């Protein structure tokens, strides 16, 4: 389970220092975006929906405290860690009142203690995400829960269809279609299409993969068909979607 993180710091050099100070890949954390101030940070948060926000406190325009206050209005569960060049009890106190997980000095970013902190933090975030997923699945019957989990594991298989999914949950295809639509609100094929598009959207936002490779990785027969389906949903091509996300 990969943890998505964003870095918000008004210094490009210090952003690079944070990226290089911790072995994020080893910790299963992906830095999927950066911002130079609080306002950009809020926009980035809205676009990427990260699991972890790593932010400077003192920034021009909107500081880290105000940014986190705004983020908390949208998501009171996301994990936040503050970084600073200064020891300041009042800043730390303000952060903790907003549910900020830790206050780390930037000069300690490459220390063993910091890496250990983030390793423990990953376990905590993974547990929280699993609990949220389990809660979401509890509303469904066992066959539908099993089908949703099966879809999540096999969505990238190009020839995945209703018959295979129905067989995996020990129902006939016709009975499975009926039960699934009654509980989920859409047909199994519609839900599969939604999952594939969401996975493709994440790859467009967070990787440099070519469109054809994204199509292949998310279960589409080819890049042309993926582009057609994507445009029907979003009104723009995958490339236009990626270009807008980078601005």
């Amino acid at each position: 389970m990969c943890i998505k993180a964003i870095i918000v710091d008004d210094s490009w050099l210090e952003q690079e220092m944070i990226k290089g100070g911790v072995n994020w890949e080893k910790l299963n954390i992906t830095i999927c975006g950066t911002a130079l101030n609080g306002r950009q940070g809020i926009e980035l948060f809205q676009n990427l929906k990260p699991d972890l926000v790593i932010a400077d406190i003192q920034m021009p325009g909107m500081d880290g405290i105000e940014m986190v206050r705004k983020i908390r209005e949208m998501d009171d569960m996301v994990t936040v860690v503050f970084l600073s060049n200064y020891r300041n009890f009042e800043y730390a106190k303000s952060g903790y009142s907003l549910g900020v997980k830790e206050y780390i000095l930037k000069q300690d970013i490459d220390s063993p203690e910091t890496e250990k902190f983030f390793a423990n933090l990953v376990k905590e975030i993974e547990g929280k995400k699993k609990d949220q997923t389990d809660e979401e699945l509890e509303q469904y019957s066992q066959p539908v829960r099993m089908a949703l989990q099966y879809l999540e594991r096999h969505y990238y298989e190009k020839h995945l269809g209703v018959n295979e999914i129905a067989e995996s949950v020990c129902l006939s295809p016709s009975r499975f279609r009926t039960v699934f639509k009654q509980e989920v609100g859409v047909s199994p094929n519609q839900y599969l299409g939604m999952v594939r598009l969401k996975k493709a959207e994440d790859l467009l936002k967070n990787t440099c993969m070519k469109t054809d490779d994204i199509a292949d990785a998310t279960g589409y027969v080819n890049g042309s068909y993926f582009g057609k389906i994507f445009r029907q949903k979003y009104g723009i091509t995958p490339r236009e979607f990626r270009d807008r996300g980078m601005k």
Side-chain angles (χ1 to χ4, degrees):
M1 187 183 294
C2 186
I3 304 301
K4 294 199 305 181
I6 62 173
I7 295 172
V8 186
D9 194 297
D10 62 320
S11 167
W12 178 82
L13 287 175
E14 294 196 351
Q15 286 183 10
E16 294 302 304
M17 179 193 74
I18 295 164
K19 288 180 185 178
V22 176
N23 189 340
W24 302 108
E25 184 177 356
K26 174 185 172 184
L27 296 174
N28 205 27
I29 296 175
T30 298
I31 306 298
C32 57
T34 59
L36 288 167
N37 57 55
R39 295 189 189 283
Q40 288 182 11
I42 290 172
E43 185 176 347
L44 192 66
F45 178 83
Q46 290 173 317
N47 289 335
L48 298 181
K49 303 291 190 299
D51 307 298
L52 172 63
V53 177
I54 302 168
D56 191 8
I57 297 177
Q58 293 179 297
M59 294 182 288
M62 179 185 289
D63 64 17
I65 300 290
E66 183 61 23
M67 179 193 72
V68 173
R69 190 172 286 118
K70 298 286 186 184
I71 285 175
R72 284 284 178 242
E73 293 174 3
M74 298 180 278
D75 185 342
D76 61 358
M77 298 296 290
V78 67
T79 302
V80 180
V81 172
F82 271 155
L83 300 178
S84 178
N85 284 318
Y86 311 99
R87 294 185 184 276
N88 188 311
F89 178 73
E90 287 305 314
Y91 277 140
K93 183 178 177 181
S94 298
Y96 292 137
S97 71
L98 290 168
V100 172
K101 199 67 184 175
E102 190 56 275
Y103 180 94
I104 297 173
L105 291 175
K106 289 181 180 177
Q107 54 263 40
D108 295 333
I109 191 68
D110 59 354
S111 70
E113 292 76 14
T114 296
E115 183 162 333
K116 183 178 179 180
F117 163 74
F118 279 110
N120 290 330
L121 189 62
V122 165
K123 293 177 184 177
E124 183 179 318
I125 294 172
E126 287 176 341
K128 186 164 59 175
K129 289 176 72 174
K130 184 179 183 302
D131 290 343
Q132 289 173 340
T133 301
D134 291 344
E135 287 177 11
E136 291 169 2
L137 290 174
E138 282 178 4
Q139 63 184 302
Y140 302 116
S141 64
Q142 185 176 0
V144 171
R145 285 201 302 270
M146 291 171 61
L148 291 171
Q149 291 168 334
Y150 190 88
L151 279 161
E152 185 65 28
R153 293 194 302 269
H154 297 273
Y155 68 89
Y156 58 86
E157 297 175 4
K158 291 181 174 57
H159 302 295
L160 181 63
V162 170
N163 289 352
E164 180 182 335
I165 304 168
E167 183 178 351
S168 75
V169 299
C170 302
L171 290 177
S172 69
S174 60
R175 177 62 180 158
F176 171 64
R177 286 191 190 92
T178 300
V179 172
F180 192 95
K181 187 160 187 177
Q182 283 176 344
E183 296 189 26
V184 182
V186 295
S187 73
N189 282 332
Q190 288 173 317
Y191 185 85
L192 175 59
M194 292 162 57
V195 170
R196 284 174 169 166
L197 276 174
K198 182 64 174 69
K199 300 293 184 181
E201 179 186 333
D202 288 344
L203 291 173
L204 284 166
K205 286 180 178 177
N206 303 321
T207 75
C208 297
M209 290 172 64
K210 295 178 181 178
T211 301
D212 285 350
D213 292 335
I214 290 175
D216 185 62
T218 51
Y220 292 95
V221 292
N222 55 53
S224 296
Y225 182 68
F226 165 57
K228 176 183 176 182
I229 297 298
F230 193 93
R231 186 162 194 142
Q232 286 176 352
K233 170 68 175 178
Y234 295 100
I236 55 176
T237 67
R239 181 172 181 175
E240 290 169 335
F241 180 89
R242 171 175 274 164
D243 289 344
R244 291 185 184 185
M246 294 174 65
K247 291 179 181 178

